[in-house]
Amino acid sequence: MRQLGNSHNAYKHLAGLRGTRSHYSGECRTTEHSTDASRTLSSRAVNLSTPLSELSHLSAQRLRQLDRFGLLTLGDLITHFPRRWEDRTQFDRWPNGESDEPICVCGVVAKVSSKRVGGRMKITEVLLEEAGAHALSNRLVCRWFNAYWVEKVVAVGQTLVVYGKPKRRSRDVAVEHPEFEVVEEDSGEPIHLQRITPIHRATEGLSTRVLRKLIWDALQQLTAADAPNLIPPALDRMSRLEALRQIHFPDSSETLAAARRHLVLEEFFAMQLIVGAKHAEQAAQPGERHMATGALVKQFHASLPFELTGAQVRAIEEIDRDLASPRAMNRLLHGDVGSGKTLVALSAMLQVVEAGYQAALMAPTQILAEQHYLTAKRLLAPLGVRVALRTGSRKENAGDPLFDHQQWMESVKGSPGAERPIYSNEPQILIGTHALLYEGAGFTRLGLAVIDEQHKFGVLQRARLRDQGGPGMIPDMLVMTATPIPRTLVMTLYGDLDVSTLDELPKGRGKIITGARNRSKLPEAVKFLREHLEKGRQAYIVYPLIDQSDRLEAKAAAAEFEKWRELLAPMPCGLLHGRIPPDEKDAIMERFRLGETKALIATTVIEVGIDVPNANIMLIENAERFGLAQLHQLRGRIGRGEHKSYCVLITESEEPGALEKLRVLEETVDGFKIADADLQMRGPGDILGTQQSGLPPLKLGDILRDGELMRQARGAAFVLLERDPQLLAPEHAHYRALLAQTRKLTLAQVS
């Protein structure tokens, strides 16, 4: 039997539903046909927004169960899409051995038994026989451990549909902890057997069988008027109601694929309407020109001991055009590790300072904010521009006077080659953490807000920083991320922004060689590390945790620090993690920068913002616990000088896929390829989470695998908004309602 949820990639990776297992309760018994599951819906008129509490056939207990599961309206129930489908018109052949692929078989319960092992573990076994067969080869053992409820659900003589991977256990072929469903012949239209059957995500009290019946009954009551089409006919001509019916109860694999296509386009179209509307609103926002002569930036670039890359020059020119425009800038700057985003951001901030405004840079962590502060202070001090620091525990604002824009402009007018700016007492560049969002940060004329590692901030936080511009002032916005973003994600997550990409690395960077090794190779890695330290180089040793955890089987930096001091003696070692007080952290990092400390044992606090050219070795313990993109970020701390660099990834995992995943980092240092591979392996997950992106979550669509559908939806949404930006045309009323409904849902989830 074809398992539609397994053999077809289009169905296997349904976003938000992957990897979920059903939990069955006593409602699976053949006597399950309760009155509330078999009655038809209330005779009163219903539509997708009708609360389930208004349906008289649902009991109070059932409503509580649905409410706990997040199903509050008829629309919630109808859009509770299957996580896979089983073709129950033709089941799989009974297994006679192991299989790497799950099978789905239908049989009769011949025996139910339980036994205790070791006093604690209870094993429940169900012997399943193929209907009408008596040979031992057509028997299957279903086995559960400490699943006490199975005995209450399954009885001899019942018909079971079982789904799982068969394994050889002694003389038996067994399926351990399978998904299963107790079935009986359907009265009337078959919905559980003799068809392509949906398997919905279930929960305690709501078996997949109960949900299937509730959804079937609901679909029978809806008319086309209750579920009007939400996408332009040019995108897809299938009716929405037909798509909803076919996604749950498909007539064939072809109609299932067509239904999924329609509903994914619907999700993407709603998402791109939000993106397009935001883009149109931002384009219409009145801003101010934040550009002067550019003399200050020219001085800055002339003072650098290296040349800018072509990508940096291109990005600076794109940003300068935005700063010179009366339209408020909304731009994303992304690129690979070490591609020079900070320098581009500093160039933009200097343009704003010269124009008489303040600039701010907000980072997600104190250590990153402090690193930006120290870098900016070092690079801008020769220009007379001082940077102020604002974090939760530190506020540095004293010292030399700050840059005076008016007197500087007078000086430039009189002498274009003026070297010395004139000073006043007002901060011009502020760098900090979330502390920048609150009163007392020091803003008076904010002209540019730069957000680093922006994906770690929510949409409301980004909006709050923008509001710091003051009454009637809308600052330009530049958001940065050190994780290269595949094109599909750019047009989804950042479709309302203009995009600048840094796809070149500065010249003179040392080559990085990466090796993934099992923990048994650690002694060889330690020897290799010592050899480089003895030659004068420095090293990072990275752990996923600060302290040892009883719940997580992973090494911890603090616990392993003494071990490394002994292994590397007499080389001085340092310990760095997020709980160390700020002043002590600064001192630890300064000793490492000066070369006084040879090895830094640290957590991921070093992931961004650390630049020590002499550090050319990185050893990462429990590397399998990190995503590829984060490992690439960590690896970016080395290879910043002229020396050849080495990254050693140590894993303790016995999983075959652990080393295979890490091999990607051995094969390439291209962050764009790594980011794409990371997303392919892990899936987008909550990358569209409303708190981070301001976009609704997806139920069916997969922004990686459905990239072409996303492009089609984006094109249709932007054409629609270009022709009717406010969606005021009568024929666009339902699009306006869709946009309002989607925004309302998103805001509710954000708050």
Side-chain angles (χ1 to χ4, degrees):
M1 183 206 75
R2 287 183 305 157
Q3 291 303 305
L4 297 183
N6 260 304
S7 58
H8 297 278
N9 284 338
Y11 314 137
K12 183 178 179 181
H13 300 286
L14 299 183
L17 303 180
R18 61 172 61 84
T20 311
R21 298 188 62 85
S22 297
H23 299 282
Y24 296 88
S25 72
E27 292 174 298
C28 289
R29 289 185 181 275
T30 54
T31 57
E32 174 228 24
H33 266 187
S34 59
T35 55
D36 67 311
S38 58
R39 290 175 185 165
T40 59
L41 288 174
S42 169
S43 59
R44 66 184 296 272
V46 297
N47 56 47
L48 294 182
S49 61
T50 300
L52 294 176
S53 58
E54 293 185 9
L55 305 181
S56 59
H57 71 285
L58 293 178
S59 67
Q61 180 184 5
R62 179 70 75 219
L63 286 171
R64 285 194 296 271
Q65 293 166 342
L66 291 164
D67 182 84
R68 285 198 301 268
F69 208 32
L71 304 178
L72 305 178
T73 68
L74 199 57
D76 293 337
L77 183 63
I78 295 298
T79 57
H80 182 66
F81 297 122
R83 58 190 179 87
R84 62 180 177 86
W85 296 259
E86 293 175 356
D87 187 347
R88 293 185 177 179
T89 61
Q90 182 182 352
F91 287 95
D92 285 328
R93 295 184 63 180
W94 281 62
N96 54 16
E98 294 198 4
S99 172
D100 291 331
E101 290 294 324
I103 55 135
C104 183
V105 295
C106 183
V108 178
V109 177
K111 182 181 179 181
V112 180
S113 61
S114 293
K115 60 182 178 181
R116 289 196 173 274
V117 178
R120 288 188 173 185
M121 182 178 292
K122 184 177 183 180
I123 301 176
T124 303
E125 291 187 346
V126 171
L127 180 61
L128 202 65
E129 290 184 344
E130 186 175 5
H134 302 287
L136 289 176
S137 59
N138 287 338
R139 292 187 174 188
L140 183 68
V141 176
C142 301
R143 186 174 290 138
W144 293 265
F145 302 97
N146 290 334
Y148 304 100
W149 51 271
V150 173
E151 287 180 283
K152 301 176 182 178
V153 172
V154 180
V156 173
Q158 289 178 331
T159 299
L160 256 61
V161 174
V162 173
Y163 179 82
K165 291 184 180 180
K167 301 290 183 184
R168 174 65 69 178
R169 295 290 183 260
S170 185
R171 293 180 298 174
D172 298 325
V173 177
V175 181
E176 294 176 350
H177 281 276
E179 297 180 24
F180 75 95
E181 182 179 342
V182 181
V183 297
E184 62 181 20
E185 292 184 6
D186 295 306
S187 56
E189 183 76 23
I191 64 172
H192 306 297
L193 286 174
Q194 290 88 51
R195 68 171 309 118
I196 297 174
T197 306
I199 307 299
H200 297 88
R201 185 165 53 93
T203 188
E204 183 178 355
L206 286 172
S207 68
T208 190
R209 182 181 177 87
V210 168
L211 284 165
R212 188 182 303 132
K213 184 67 169 69
L214 290 174
I215 292 169
W216 171 270
D217 288 341
L219 285 169
Q220 305 317 302
Q221 298 297 313
L222 294 176
T223 67
D226 299 324
N229 279 21
L230 298 178
I231 59 178
L235 267 183
D236 192 82
R237 293 193 175 277
M238 182 181 238
S239 77
R240 187 185 184 205
L241 181 57
E242 182 63 12
L244 289 169
R245 286 174 174 166
Q246 291 294 325
I247 198 72
H248 289 286
F249 301 98
D251 295 331
S252 66
S253 59
E254 289 75 22
T255 59
L256 174 56
R260 183 183 181 277
R261 181 181 188 277
H262 179 98
L263 295 169
V264 168
L265 281 169
E266 182 182 293
E267 283 189 324
F268 288 172
F269 182 75
M271 181 177 289
Q272 290 299 332
L273 268 185
I274 288 182
V275 170
K278 285 172 63 178
H279 190 274
E281 289 171 5
Q282 291 170 353
Q285 282 182 337
E288 295 187 42
R289 290 181 174 87
H290 297 130
M291 277 283 288
T293 66
L296 194 57
V297 174
K298 290 177 183 176
Q299 271 194 292
F300 172 50
H301 291 170
S303 70
L304 298 173
F306 51 82
E307 290 186 4
L308 302 180
T309 66
Q312 286 175 312
V313 171
R314 183 175 64 249
I316 290 170
E317 290 173 349
E318 292 167 348
I319 293 170
D320 284 352
R321 284 196 292 271
D322 287 349
L323 294 175
S325 167
R327 178 179 68 89
M329 177 176 74
N330 286 279
R331 183 168 288 275
L332 165 71
L333 176 65
H334 76 123
D336 207 345
V337 176
S339 57
K341 291 176 291 296
T342 302
L343 192 145
V344 173
L346 288 176
S347 299
M349 289 191 280
L350 286 178
Q351 294 283 26
V352 171
V353 166
E354 188 186 342
Y357 297 87
Q358 290 177 307
L361 191 158
M362 185 168 72
T365 65
Q366 180 165 313
I367 192 166
L368 179 54
E370 290 172 355
Q371 291 302 313
H372 279 313
Y373 169 68
L374 293 173
T375 299
K377 189 176 179 182
R378 174 174 54 85
L379 292 174
L380 303 184
L383 303 175
V385 179
R386 174 168 165 231
V387 184
L389 176 67
R390 299 285 187 273
T391 68
S393 58
R394 297 183 62 178
K395 180 176 180 180
E396 296 192 10
N397 203 32
D400 295 333
L402 300 175
F403 180 75
D404 186 308
H405 162 69
Q406 294 296 336
Q407 295 188 46
W408 163 247
M409 290 299 295
E410 292 296 326
S411 175
V412 171
K413 287 178 183 176
S415 173
E419 295 286 336
R420 301 281 304 169
I422 312 301
Y423 300 94
S424 73
N425 294 315
E426 183 182 76
Q428 299 295 311
I429 293 179
L430 294 98
I431 294 177
T433 57
H434 298 74
L436 294 176
L437 303 176
Y438 303 101
E439 291 183 11
F443 295 115
T444 55
R445 296 191 75 200
L446 181 61
L448 172 65
V450 181
I451 299 180
D452 194 15
E453 294 298 300
Q454 67 77 41
H455 58 281
K456 296 184 179 179
F457 294 97
V459 288
L460 298 182
Q461 292 169 318
R462 297 198 291 269
R464 185 164 183 170
L465 179 60
R466 185 163 219 162
D467 290 342
Q468 298 282 33
M473 292 184 63
I474 299 178
D476 288 318
M477 179 73 76
L478 178 67
V479 298
M480 303 194 299
T481 176
T483 302
I485 308 167
R487 184 172 177 271
T488 306
L489 294 188
V490 168
M491 69 182 182
T492 304
L493 291 174
Y494 309 107
D496 57 321
L497 303 178
D498 299 310
V499 179
S500 293
T501 303
L502 297 181
D503 51 9
E504 296 178 54
L505 295 178
K507 296 178 181 178
R509 291 292 179 94
K511 183 179 180 182
I512 301 178
I513 297 174
T514 302
R517 301 289 184 268
N518 190 275
R519 185 163 182 79
S520 62
K521 301 292 184 181
L522 184 60
E524 298 173 21
V526 172
K527 180 181 178 183
F528 180 76
L529 192 151
R530 280 193 65 99
E531 290 173 357
H532 279 266
L533 297 187
E534 289 167 357
K535 292 177 182 177
R537 304 285 77 78
Q538 292 169 272
Y540 299 100
I541 299 166
V542 184
Y543 286 89
L545 305 174
I546 297 175
D547 299 315
Q548 206 71 43
S549 169
D550 293 331
R551 293 181 292 110
L552 298 175
E553 294 182 3
K555 300 290 184 181
E560 300 290 304
F561 177 59
E562 289 301 325
K563 180 192 80 173
W564 282 104
R565 289 182 67 177
E566 295 177 10
L567 287 172
L568 300 178
M571 308 287 182
C573 298
L575 174 65
L576 184 69
H577 56 72
R579 292 209 300 262
I580 292 175
D583 290 342
E584 191 177 338
K585 251 189 289 192
D586 289 346
I588 292 169
M589 280 308 306
E590 188 62 19
R591 287 195 294 271
F592 191 66
R593 285 192 198 94
L594 295 174
E596 296 172 4
T597 300
K598 294 300 181 183
L600 191 63
I601 292 84
T603 61
T604 55
V605 293
I606 66 161
E607 183 178 351
V608 289
I610 308 296
D611 189 356
V612 181
N614 190 50
N616 76 322
I617 298 278
M618 176 172 285
L619 187 147
I620 303 177
E621 288 261 27
N622 294 118
E624 75 281 356
R625 296 187 63 83
F626 300 93
L628 291 180
Q630 188 174 28
L631 289 171
H632 182 58
Q633 283 287 321
L634 289 165
R635 181 173 63 176
R637 298 311 100 204
I638 58 175
R640 293 178 165 259
E642 59 184 355
H643 311 288
K644 184 183 289 187
S645 296
Y646 303 87
C647 179
V648 183
L649 307 173
I650 301 294
T651 176
E652 293 186 6
S653 175
E654 299 297 328
E655 292 289 330
L659 276 174
E660 183 181 343
K661 179 183 87 168
L662 300 177
R663 300 290 182 212
V664 175
L665 293 163
E666 291 184 328
E667 295 166 1
T668 182
V669 292
D670 186 325
F672 287 88
K673 292 181 181 178
I674 291 167
D676 191 59
D678 193 35
L679 286 167
Q680 293 289 349
M681 287 182 180
R682 295 193 300 154
D686 193 39
I687 199 163
L688 291 182
T690 53
Q691 183 178 3
Q692 302 302 326
S693 66
L695 296 174
L698 296 172
K699 291 186 176 182
L700 276 177
D702 186 310
I703 55 179
L704 300 180
R705 297 175 179 86
D706 297 322
E708 179 55 36
L709 295 182
M710 179 67 81
R711 282 186 282 274
Q712 293 177 28
R714 178 178 174 82
F718 273 64
V719 166
L720 178 67
L721 290 166
E722 185 178 337
R723 293 174 179 172
D724 185 5
Q726 304 299 320
L727 299 176
L728 297 178
E731 63 271 23
H732 295 161
H734 61 296
Y735 297 136
R736 189 166 64 249
L738 173 63
L739 180 60
Q741 180 183 0
T742 308
R743 279 178 162 172
K744 182 179 179 181
L745 173 64
T746 301
L747 287 173
Q749 291 170 330
V750 169
S751 57

